[in-house]
Each structure stands twice: as structure tokens, then as C-alpha cells.
Amino acid sequence: MIKRLFKRLFQPSAAKIASRKKKQVVPRVVEVAEHHIDPTLVSNNAVRVTKTLQEHGFAAFIVGGAVRDLLLGVKPKDFDVATSATPEDVQKLFRRARIIGRRFRLVHVMFGNDTIEVSTFRAGQTEDAETDQHGRVLRDNTFGDQKADAERRDFTVNSLYYDPATQTVVDYMDGVADVSEKRLRVIGDPVKRYREDPVRMLRAVRFAAKLGFSIDAASQAPIKELAPLIKNVPAARLFDEMLKLLLSGHALACLKRLREEGLHHGLLPLLDVVFEQPLGERFVTLALQSTDERVRLGKPTSPSFLFACLLWHEVLKLWADQRARGETPIPALGIAMDQVLETQTQSLAIQRRFAADMREIWGLQPRLERRTGKAPYRLIEHLRFRAGYDFLLLRCEAGECDSELGTWWTEFIAANEAGREELQRELLTRGVLPPAAKKRRRRKRASAAPREARGAADAREGTDGDQKGEA
Ligand code: ATP
Ligand code: MG
């Protein structure tokens, strides 16, 4: 009896469930009077793509982050199109179109330097989808209708479809309301959706930080417990997501939030340590602030520079360990860099080209301390000098080296020949040993000692011997 009463009171009636389902099948179509999307913010190329597809009888919409940004009045950085056409259909309709992707087959339609990514409506997870033991979906590339496509997306605000021809937004998930309330809501059961793809937890944090949205309670609650699942995501995918996060213009806020949620462990295993060291925290904070500023000003940014910053204090620590074991400075730095990169590449797949740049930026640091003789002239010609110098300025700002060093380099870069000589003379009057006296000693050792040891000796003494032939 009580059970029946309870059921009647708290369980939704069949009619209610049916009406809820119906609500989802028939999407809300939001007109321009309500959404206020400014058509001048929409890419002409994206419009060309939807128009061509529609003229050939296919459904086609601008979709995903672009619609979210348009609703917020922000110019989207890229445009994705979703369509009922198959990748082959799409390819046939455009002159420069390429089918890409293994997990999902997409078409890149190219106009000059601009690329519009076109994907066929896809269905979400079926019951028999192939998963790993934690529920992570390994393959999900079945086509579906638009509703299925809306349901398989991550957040309601990313599941909106804009038709430039009618200037309407098609909304299956109440995403328009969530945009206006600045709320991130996972589509479906958050636990299940995070298990299917743990990267969605990182995306939640990134969007929350970047857009200034809150994460709704049900979507937020499971993150702490499920955070360790990030470890099962393939490293290359994590690296891509990490890059998006670091170059979002809100990297500092993102990383702070990641730490709060316990999500940083699988990403940068050493980040924990970095933030715990006062100097490390200051340095990383400054580096992230400066990157965020560059992104917001539309200036170019370098992933290798940023990763070099994030991992610098780990390099410093291992460098000191090596030296304490009796290793000479430059080989010790080489070992420390290897160790750091090895640990990081296992979890994050820092690509080789970035790793090479990072090594150069780190390797330039001791060399920037040598300012006598020909050394600074050679160093300034080094391919990565600018990055190494910017890195030095950050170190000065963080208080880990004398700001005089940074200022000296700034002046040296700007000065003409005579000015540079004067800057070097000033150094000598301030007590830096004349290079000539040292050079003699170095040459003697140079002929007998192996190359690496030579560099180490030079580094110890502050001369420029290890740069011969490199710059
Ligand atoms: P950004 O502004 O960072 O590009 P975005 O929302 O466009 O944000 P993308 O990574 O470009 O993000 O993805 C495009 C769209 O694909 C998303 O808006 C979302 O609908 C869908 N999507 C991306 N990643 C996932 C995922 N892991 N699970 C479900 N849907 C996803
Ligand atoms: Mg996008």
C-alpha cells in the first residue's frame, strides 16, 4: 500500500515519460529573435559548405563549439559542419576535400588556408559497443540521424545546430537555455558518459574555465571519483586535449581547476611537485599568465616553450641531484633533461619535435650566463635564442636568477656593435674575469678531454668553449 502510494507520488507517470521523450524527438527550433546570432560572425566558407550540401538534398548545419560561441556573441575560431551526407557524398561535392581520421571518418573541406570539418551525423554508444574494462568506448563510428548525433555529443551547449539559411538553431537538449544560464551539463548519465570517454572530464574543466560557466551539480559530482580513468586514455589523445587546454587563453584557470578536481595526475605527473615548490609555482604561474595573455592578444604561442616552462623545475631538481652525485654541470643537465622527457612522454606523448625544442630552450639557460668574449655573439645567432631569452626573462621575473642578467641581454640584443662592446666592457669592470685568461686554460683541456666534458668544464668556468661549431 505504502509502496504503491510512494510509486504514485514519486515515479513519473507513463504520460510524463512519453512527453519527455517526445520533447527530445521533436527539437526546439529557436528563431533569430531569441538567439540573436550575428550572421557577420559566421564564416562564409562554413555557409558555402552548408548551402552546397543543402542544394544537393542533404541536411547540413554548423554545429558544436561554433554555435555555442555564436550564441555568446564570440567569433568562433573554427567551424564544424554536421550533415546527413556520407563522407564520400561530401567529398564529391567539393573540389578540395579530403577524407581523414581512423576512429571517426571526417571530411576536411579546404578553402585557401581555411578548413571546414564536415562530419556525418553519428549515433552514440549502442549496448554492444566495444569498450575496455572501465567502460571506455573503443570504436563508435556508426552513422545515425540528427537526434542521435545530438545525443552522442558531450555537453548540451555543444549539441546545437545552426542553419545559416534560415538563421535558426535546432536544439534537442535544451542547450540554448544552458548557454544563457552559463551552465555546462553532460548529455545523459554523467557517470556513463565519463566512463565512455574520460577526456570529457577534462573538457568540462576546460570549457568551465574558458567560458566562465558553472558545471551543473550532477555533471560535477562524479569527476573526483572517476579522475583516475584519465590514465587509460591513449597518450596522443591526452596530449591533444592538454594542448587545447594550455592554449585556450585560460590555461592558468584550467590547471588550477584540474588540480582541484584531481585530474592533473595523469596529465603532467610532475605538476603536483611543481606547484608545491614556491619558486616552481611562481615560475609556472608567470609562464601560464604570459601565454594566456598572448593567446588573448592573438599572438603566436609555442607549445614547446610552454611545456619547457611547466617542466623546468623538475629539470632543475634532477640537475641538482646529478651534480650532487658528482656529475659535471652540462652532462648533468643532459641527464636531467632525458629523465624528465622520458617520464613525461610516457604519460603525455610530448611529440618528438616539441621535445627537441624543449631541450634546446633548457640547454640555452647555462649558456646565457656566459657573456664575455665571443659567446654572446654566437648565442644570439642560435636558432632558438629568442625562446631561450624569453625563458630567461621569465626566470628573472620569478626571482630565480638575478634580473640584471635579463636586463643585460635585453640591452645587448638592442645595441649596435659599439654598444655591445661597451656592455661587455662594463661586465669586466664589474669583476667578470677577462675571457682571454680562461680561453688558454680551456684550449689546453679541449684537446685532451671528450666533447661533453669540455662543455662541462666551460660551464663551470663561465667560458664559451662548448659553443664552437654549434651556433
Ligand atoms: P573548441 O572551442 O575548443 O573547439 P568545441 O566544442 O568545438 O570547442 P571540439 O573538440 O572542436 O570542441 O569538438 C567539436 C564538437 O564535437 C563538440 O562541440 C562536441 O559536440 C563534439 N565532441 C568533441 N569531443 C567530444 C567527446 N569527447 N565526446 C562527445 N562529443 C564530443
Ligand atoms: Mg571546435
Side-chain angles (χ1 to χ4, degrees):
M1 172 70 189
I2 292 175
K3 245 188 190 171
R4 243 187 288 151
L5 186 69
F6 182 85
K7 261 192 176 174
R8 218 183 317 141
L9 281 176
F10 293 104
Q11 281 199 347
S13 66
K16 261 191 193 160
I17 292 174
S19 88
R20 231 181 261 167
K21 280 196 173 152
K22 204 169 156 208
K23 194 178 146 208
Q24 293 207 335
V25 176
V26 183
R28 202 159 85 81
V29 177
V30 184
E31 305 286 338
V32 67
E34 182 183 343
H35 63 61
H36 303 295
I37 286 180
D38 174 359
T40 64
L41 294 180
V42 181
S43 131
N44 289 336
N45 293 332
V47 176
R48 266 159 88 179
V49 171
T50 52
K51 191 162 177 261
T52 306
L53 286 164
Q54 289 169 357
E55 281 168 0
H56 286 82
F58 300 108
F61 299 87
I62 292 170
V63 72
V67 185
R68 181 197 65 218
D69 292 347
L70 287 169
L71 286 171
L72 293 167
V74 175
K75 192 173 173 60
K77 61 175 167 43
D78 48 40
F79 282 81
D80 298 327
V81 166
T83 178
S84 58
T86 63
E88 287 73 18
D89 291 331
V90 178
Q91 196 179 29
K92 276 184 216 144
L93 291 178
F94 299 94
R95 207 164 51 82
R96 289 182 61 218
R98 210 176 38 180
I99 298 181
I100 58 142
R102 265 175 294 159
R103 187 160 162 234
F104 315 126
R105 289 172 69 240
L106 310 163
V107 187
H108 277 176
V109 180
M110 286 156 288
F111 303 94
N113 289 332
D114 189 21
T115 301
I116 306 292
E117 199 166 278
V118 185
S119 57
T120 305
F121 292 146
R122 277 207 312 270
Q125 269 59 73
T126 48
E127 287 310 313
D128 53 0
E130 196 184 334
T131 61
D132 71 4
Q133 81 259 39
H134 306 284
R136 187 169 68 84
V137 172
L138 302 175
R139 242 174 290 281
D140 56 350
N141 201 15
T142 35
F143 296 143
D145 57 14
Q146 188 181 7
K147 175 177 171 277
D149 190 75
E151 282 170 349
R152 63 100 191 161
R153 291 177 183 273
D154 48 4
F155 302 100
T156 60
V157 298
N158 284 348
S159 183
L160 295 162
Y161 299 78
Y162 179 65
D163 179 359
T166 57
Q167 291 193 48
T168 51
V169 173
V170 180
D171 181 4
Y172 287 86
M173 298 292 159
D174 274 343
V176 171
D178 284 338
V179 173
S180 62
E181 278 157 51
K182 295 190 171 285
R183 180 176 54 212
L184 276 179
R185 204 157 46 89
V186 171
I187 294 169
D189 171 21
V191 172
K192 184 162 170 277
R193 302 301 312 280
Y194 291 148
R195 282 190 178 278
E196 281 169 7
D197 181 6
V199 165
R200 289 174 185 147
M201 294 187 275
L202 300 179
R203 292 174 59 87
V205 166
R206 170 160 67 91
F207 292 131
K210 177 177 147 180
L211 305 168
F213 279 26
S214 65
I215 304 178
D216 104 304
S219 305
Q220 165 77 49
I223 293 183
K224 274 217 165 79
E225 199 186 320
L226 298 180
L229 295 180
I230 292 288
K231 291 198 191 82
N232 306 322
V233 177
R237 176 123 194 271
L238 269 191
F239 184 77
D240 286 348
E241 198 54 39
M242 191 67 187
L243 260 193
K244 282 192 184 177
L245 195 147
L246 291 173
L247 302 179
S248 67
H250 302 266
L252 188 57
C254 282
L255 286 189
K256 279 190 175 150
R257 184 91 190 234
L258 283 184
R259 291 188 79 225
E260 281 161 24
E261 302 292 348
L263 280 166
H264 60 299
H265 288 299
L267 292 174
L268 285 172
L270 308 170
L271 208 57
D272 231 3
V273 189
V274 165
F275 277 119
E276 275 158 25
Q277 300 162 346
L279 268 182
E281 169 150 20
R282 175 145 175 71
F283 181 75
V284 166
T285 304
L286 284 170
L288 292 172
Q289 267 167 357
S290 112
T291 307
D292 284 348
E293 205 177 304
R294 289 184 71 87
V295 173
R296 288 183 212 175
L297 293 173
K299 291 186 180 171
T301 46
S302 141
S304 18
F305 185 85
L306 195 50
F307 280 111
C309 291
L310 290 177
L311 299 172
W312 171 238
H313 274 259
E314 204 48 33
V315 172
L316 281 182
K317 197 174 82 190
L318 296 179
W319 190 11
D321 288 352
Q322 288 299 323
R323 288 163 80 165
R325 282 188 203 160
E327 193 59 79
T328 43
I330 297 298
L333 177 57
I335 296 169
M337 296 195 293
D338 285 345
Q339 286 177 346
V340 168
L341 285 171
E342 199 178 313
T343 318
Q344 297 300 323
T345 42
Q346 273 167 17
S347 59
L348 203 64
I350 292 178
Q351 290 147 3
R352 276 177 92 105
R353 68 199 163 98
F354 293 140
D357 282 355
M358 290 161 71
R359 280 182 142 278
E360 299 217 71
I361 291 168
W362 291 332
L364 280 168
Q365 299 313 303
R367 293 173 63 177
L368 281 156
E369 306 210 357
R370 295 172 226 156
R371 291 176 280 168
T372 53
K374 300 245 182 318
Y377 293 92
R378 287 199 204 101
L379 205 56
I380 217 164
E381 299 298 325
H382 191 286
L383 215 61
R384 290 268 161 267
F385 171 78
R386 189 73 212 188
Y389 159 74
D390 285 345
F391 197 89
L392 175 76
L393 291 186
L394 271 180
R395 291 174 56 217
C396 292
E397 206 181 333
E400 68 176 67
C401 57
D402 198 335
S403 61
E404 178 273 332
L405 183 61
T407 314
W408 188 89
W409 274 106
T410 306
E411 288 172 0
F412 189 81
I413 294 166
N416 58 18
E417 194 65 29
R420 287 180 176 178
E421 279 171 19
E422 179 55 30
L423 278 162
Q424 285 197 305
R425 258 198 306 280
E426 272 175 22
L427 276 181
L428 300 183
T429 57
R430 273 191 276 140
V432 178
L433 287 175
K438 294 199 151 190
K439 258 192 184 157
R440 270 198 302 280
R441 271 197 283 151
R442 177 185 52 72
R443 276 212 195 95
K444 226 167 107 193
R445 200 174 294 132
S447 55
R451 199 185 135 72
E452 270 199 332
R454 250 188 281 156
D458 293 333
R460 219 175 17 241
E461 291 166 10
T463 65
D464 61 322
D466 65 327
Q467 294 158 44
K468 290 250 158 71
E470 276 178 41

